[in-house]
Amino acid sequence: EVQLQASGGGLVQAGGSLTLSCAAIGFTFERYSMGWFRQAPGKGRQGVACISSNDRKPLYPASVKGRFTISIDNAKTAVYLQMNNLKSEDTAVYYCAADRGPYCSGSADYWGQGTQVTVSS
């Protein structure tokens, strides 16, 4: 059974940090692009970090570049998202995702259950 188990969300003050974790089981981890998405109330899902299956290089949108860092641990089949200098606009439900394609698309093959991140100003 495929599972992506996300954890680590919570309430943090603006300027603070959080690390999200996602444990992946049930599929060949190394063959998938692994990423993090978020969805704020009333907004669409947005990709915030991706490690491509092609070269394992991280990709970020401008809104989080320099503040968020994605990493993977192949031995633990886990993906992490270190979030620094958090802003109120980072408040959202965060999802980890696994995509068989070369990049993290909105139609990923597998999704975690989501973890809430709330940044207070």
Side-chain angles (χ1 to χ4, degrees), residues 19-64:
T19 300
L20 305 182
S21 301
C22 179
I25 60 174
F27 60 96
T28 308
F29 184 76
E30 297 81 2
R31 296 180 183 175
Y32 283 71
S33 298
M34 298 300 300
W36 289 93
F37 292 75
R38 68 185 180 189
Q39 187 163 19
K43 295 189 176 181
R45 190 171 290 180
Q46 175 195 20
V48 296
C50 176
I51 288 188
S52 168
S53 60
N54 282 349
D55 55 15
R56 285 315 201 197
K57 290 183 179 179
L59 300 167
Y60 308 96
S63 58
V64 306

Side-chain angles (χ1 to χ4, degrees), residues 60-99:
Y60 308 96
S63 58
V64 306
K65 197 169 187 178
R67 300 189 299 120
F68 288 13
T69 302
I70 187 172
S71 60
I72 58 173
D73 185 329
N74 285 319
K76 296 182 179 179
T77 61
V79 58
Y80 306 96
L81 185 67
Q82 173 69 41
M83 304 183 293
N84 297 327
N85 190 22
L86 283 161
K87 305 176 180 180
S88 58
E89 53 262 43
D90 295 319
T91 294
V93 178
Y94 283 71
Y95 301 87
C96 60
D99 197 315

